[in-house]
Amino acid sequence: MLLSERTDSLRKEKLYQSIAVCLFIGLALVFNAPYLSWLPRGLHEWAQSDRLALALGYYDYQFDFFHPRTLSLVTVDRVTGTELPLQAYIASLFGLLVGRQHITVAFRCLDLAMMVVGFYYLFRLMYESTGNFVASLVPAAFLLGSPIFIYYSGNYTPDPFSASLLFVAIYHYWRFYYRDRQFRHLIVATVLAGLAMLVKVTSGVYFFAFTGVIVLISYFWPTLFTARQKVQFLGMIMLVVLALIGYFLYHEHLNKAYGSGLFLNTTLPISSWPAHRAIWTKIWIGWISEYFTHVDYALLKISWGLLVVYAIVQWRHASAYLPLLALFGVTLLGITIMYLLLGIQLVPHDYYIIAPLFPLLMMVLCSALWILCRISGERGRLLITVLLLVATVAPTVAGLRHHRARMHEPYSPYSEGYVYRWELGGAEKLRKLGVPESSFILVMGEGPSNLALIHFNRPGIVWNPDIGKITADTVLRLMAGRRLEYLIMRRDLLDQIKQQNPALLTPFREVNIEDQSAILQPLQRPVKW
C-alpha cells in the first residue's frame, strides 16, 4: 500500500511538473514570440548588440572560444576581452543548424530556454517543499512581473542567464541540506553557482555565500560530510576560484594584447554619502518602476513581513533556521559590498541588479510561500489558495502589460534616447545595392561600437568625430588603413555636414540617400587598398 501511494505521488508530481513546464514555455512565447526575429533595439540596444556581435564573431572565425570577437575593427583582429561568453558561443553553434542570419533568433530562444529552466527548478523547489501546485507557480509569476527580468531574458545580456543558473543551484543546495543530504546535489550546486559567476561576475555573491555557509556548518557539524566528501568539496571550491582568477587574468591579457576596452571591467565605488544619495535618487527616478511592477513590490513587502513575524513567533526553534538566516545575512552583506563597488554604474545599467539581487529575492519569496503553506491548515486552505491564485495571475498580467509597452514606441522617457531607428533594414539596403557581405564599412556620427554594424551586417568601425573640424583626408586615411569601402551615416548628419563642412564630402559619391540614412563611397580607392 505504501509503495502504491508513493508511486501515485510521484506520478502526480511528474504530471504537475509537465503542466508547469508547458505553462512556462507558453508564457515565454506569449511575452516574447513577436520579438524573436528582432535585431537589437530599445533599452540598452548597445549592450545587446555587443553580445550578439560576439556570437557572430564566433561563427565567422570558426568558433575560436578563447578569442571572442565582435564586428568592430577598432581592436586587433576584432578580438575583445569579456566575461565568459557562454551564451554567445552556444548561440553561434546553433548557427550551424539555422544559418548565420538566424543566430539572433537562436540567441533569444537560448536565453528564454534558460529562463524556463530557472522557472522549472523554482517550481520544483516549492512543490517538493510544500506540495502546493499554485504556490509553486508564484516565483515564476513574480519574475514575469519584473520588467527588467523578462525584457533581458528575451535578448542577449548575460545577467538573467546567470540568475537562472543560480535558481537551479539554489534548488540543489536545498536538496542537499534540507531534504536528502545527497552529496551529488552539493557538487551540482557548486558547479552551477561557479558557472553563473563566470558568466556574470556579480553572481559571485551567491557562490561565496553558499560555499562559505556550508563550510562553516561542516565545522560545527562534523558528520555533514565524510572526510573524502569534505576534500572533494573544498577541492571543487578551489577549482572554481582558480577558474575565475584565471579567466579574469586572461580577460585582462586579451584587452591589453588586442587593444580592446569594449566590455567594462572595473569598479566605480561610491566614495561618499552624498554620492550614494545622488545615485539612489537617480535610480529611484529612472528605474524603480522598471525593476518591478507595483504587484511585485506588494509581494515583496508581504514576504519580508511574513518572514519577520514568523521569525519572532518561532524564535525558540531558531537553530533549525540558522543556516538560512546565515545565508541571508552573508548574501545581504555581499550585495551591499557589490552596490558600493558598482557605484555610478547602476544608474545607466538597469539590468545590473538582476544577477546580484534576484536570487536573494527568490529565496525570500520561496521562504514566505513555505511559511504560508505551513500555517494555512485545513480551514484556511481555500482562502490561501485564492490568495495564491491572485499572487500568480496579478504579477503575470501586470508584467505582460508593462513588457508590451516597453517593446513598443513611444516609451517615454526611455525611447527618446534610442538610436537604432535609422539603422533598421540596413543589411537589406546594402544587399539591394550590391554591396558584398565581405565589405567593411565606416559608420559616422554614432557611439555604440557594434549596433550599426549589426544592423548593416558588416564588420567595420563606428566613429563619432567633430564633423565641423574633421577633414576629408583624415576620413580617407582611416578608411584606407582599415580597408573600409563605404561611409554610412544618418541622413540628418549628412545634411548637417553639407551646411557646416561641405569639403568633407568632396571625395565621396552618393550611393544611396533616403529619408533616414545615407550611404557614400570614395570616388577613388586610395592606393594603399
Side-chain angles (χ1 to χ4, degrees):
M1 183 66 178
L2 291 175
L3 179 60
S4 175
E5 290 178 356
R6 175 63 178 164
T7 302
D8 290 342
S9 176
L10 287 174
R11 287 177 179 173
K12 182 180 179 181
E13 183 176 323
K14 293 296 182 183
L15 175 62
Y16 282 152
Q17 288 178 7
S18 300
I19 293 172
V21 169
C22 292
L23 183 61
F24 296 152
I25 293 174
L27 286 170
L29 293 175
V30 168
F31 273 77
N32 284 287
Y35 323 114
L36 290 178
S37 61
W38 281 12
L39 290 173
R41 62 170 73 179
L43 277 162
H44 294 295
E45 55 205 348
W46 48 271
Q48 298 179 47
S49 64
D50 290 340
R51 297 290 174 172
L52 177 57
L54 287 171
L56 297 176
Y58 276 131
Y59 187 90
D60 293 339
Y61 278 80
Q62 290 75 50
F63 310 100
D64 182 0
F65 181 78
F66 291 102
H67 291 88
R69 292 173 168 87
T70 65
L71 297 180
S72 176
L73 299 175
V74 170
T75 63
V76 178
D77 203 24
R78 295 165 49 180
V79 174
T80 181
T82 178
E83 292 165 309
L84 187 73
L86 181 63
Q87 303 157 273
Y89 193 75
I90 296 174
S92 70
L93 292 175
F94 279 124
L96 294 172
L97 299 176
V98 300
R100 187 183 186 278
Q101 69 275 21
H102 298 304
I103 285 179
T104 181
V105 180
F107 208 140
R108 289 180 183 269
C109 289
L110 170 67
D111 281 0
L112 287 173
M114 191 66 240
M115 180 189 76
V116 170
V117 170
F119 287 178
Y120 169 69
Y121 276 93
L122 289 172
F123 173 88
R124 288 189 61 178
L125 171 62
M126 287 310 306
Y127 188 80
E128 291 173 24
S129 61
T130 67
N132 189 310
F133 176 74
V134 181
S136 305
L137 298 175
V138 175
F142 175 87
L143 291 171
L144 290 172
S146 167
I148 59 170
F149 188 85
I150 189 62
Y151 177 75
Y152 292 108
S153 291
N155 57 53
Y156 320 91
T157 53
D159 304 70
F161 192 94
S162 178
S164 294
L165 284 172
L166 284 172
F167 298 156
V168 184
I170 289 170
Y171 167 80
H172 285 285
Y173 277 120
W174 171 80
R175 281 289 299 265
F176 167 75
Y177 191 82
Y178 280 108
R179 185 171 175 181
D180 49 29
R181 296 286 161 78
Q182 293 185 25
F183 184 66
R184 62 186 176 88
H185 288 297
L186 182 60
I187 293 298
V188 171
T190 304
V191 171
L192 289 174
L195 183 60
M197 178 171 59
L198 285 168
V199 170
K200 191 65 184 179
V201 70
T202 50
S203 294
V205 168
Y206 296 92
F207 173 81
F208 291 108
F210 280 123
T211 55
V213 169
I214 292 293
V215 169
L216 183 63
I217 291 172
S218 71
Y219 282 99
F220 290 98
W221 188 2
T223 58
L224 183 65
F225 297 130
T226 65
R228 181 179 180 181
Q229 288 174 340
K230 180 173 286 189
V231 170
Q232 290 177 335
F233 181 50
L234 293 175
M236 181 64 67
I237 295 173
M238 289 300 299
L239 284 175
V240 172
V241 172
L242 288 174
L244 176 66
I245 295 172
Y247 194 83
F248 174 80
L249 294 175
Y250 183 67
H251 167 92
E252 289 294 296
H253 160 72
L254 288 178
N255 281 338
K256 291 178 181 179
Y258 292 90
S260 175
L262 177 61
F263 293 97
L264 186 63
N265 186 35
T266 186
T267 59
L268 296 173
I270 298 174
S271 57
S272 64
W273 180 255
H276 154 71
R277 292 188 63 183
I279 290 170
W280 189 248
T281 299
K282 291 178 181 178
I283 290 174
W284 187 268
I285 294 173
W287 295 124
I288 205 70
S289 63
E290 298 299 310
Y291 290 158
F292 303 102
T293 58
H294 64 283
V295 180
D296 272 6
Y297 280 117
L299 286 175
L300 285 176
K301 292 175 183 177
I302 293 170
S303 296
W304 281 110
L306 190 56
L307 283 181
V308 171
V309 171
Y310 189 78
I312 294 172
V313 172
Q314 296 290 324
W315 67 272
R316 295 180 184 275
H317 307 286
S319 59
Y321 307 108
L322 276 178
L324 191 59
L325 292 173
L327 182 61
F328 281 1
V330 174
T331 303
L332 281 171
L333 177 62
I335 291 172
T336 302
I337 294 172
M338 197 67 65
Y339 167 73
L340 294 174
L341 291 176
L342 289 174
I344 194 65
Q345 297 180 58
L346 292 169
V347 175
H349 304 96
D350 61 335
Y351 54 91
Y352 269 22
I353 74 162
I354 294 175
L357 183 61
F358 275 52
L360 172 64
L361 298 183
M362 284 298 96
M363 289 190 288
V364 170
L365 179 63
C366 290
S367 299
L369 290 168
W370 178 83
I371 293 170
L372 193 63
C373 292
R374 182 180 176 86
I375 65 176
S376 62
E378 290 295 331
R379 294 181 179 179
R381 181 169 296 180
L382 179 60
L383 175 61
I384 295 299
T385 299
V386 172
L387 292 176
L388 290 173
L389 281 172
V390 173
T392 301
V393 175
T396 304
V397 173
L400 180 60
R401 185 182 299 115
H402 196 128
H403 182 64
R404 286 181 173 172
R406 201 179 216 226
M407 297 300 287
H408 293 88
E409 298 182 40
Y411 187 58
S412 183
Y414 309 101
S415 58
E416 296 167 8
Y418 295 171
V419 299
Y420 75 91
R421 299 182 188 94
W422 73 275
E423 301 161 357
L424 288 176
E428 180 63 17
K429 292 176 186 176
L430 294 182
R431 187 191 67 80
K432 290 181 178 179
L433 293 170
V435 177
E437 292 187 2
S438 58
S439 297
F440 296 165
I441 61 175
L442 173 62
V443 180
M444 184 179 289
E446 299 299 314
S449 300
N450 284 284
L451 182 60
L453 304 180
I454 287 287
H455 281 278
F456 285 95
N457 195 28
R458 301 292 190 282
I461 291 177
V462 177
W463 191 32
N464 191 21
D466 185 340
I467 62 168
K469 298 180 180 180
I470 197 72
T471 65
D473 183 62
T474 301
V475 177
L476 290 173
R477 280 191 284 110
L478 173 61
M479 296 183 72
R482 297 303 177 92
R483 296 185 294 119
L484 309 175
E485 299 180 49
Y486 291 86
L487 175 62
I488 301 175
M489 65 186 74
R490 302 187 313 275
R491 172 62 186 272
D492 65 306
L493 182 62
L494 176 67
D495 295 337
Q496 189 178 346
I497 293 174
K498 287 180 178 179
Q499 293 180 1
Q500 297 182 12
N501 191 2
L504 178 62
L505 303 174
T506 302
F508 293 91
R509 71 178 183 90
E510 296 181 350
V511 177
N512 182 263
I513 306 297
E514 296 184 357
D515 291 340
Q516 296 193 52
S517 64
I519 302 171
L520 298 88
Q521 188 178 29
L523 294 172
Q524 293 182 340
R525 288 189 173 187
V527 176
K528 289 184 179 180
W529 288 8

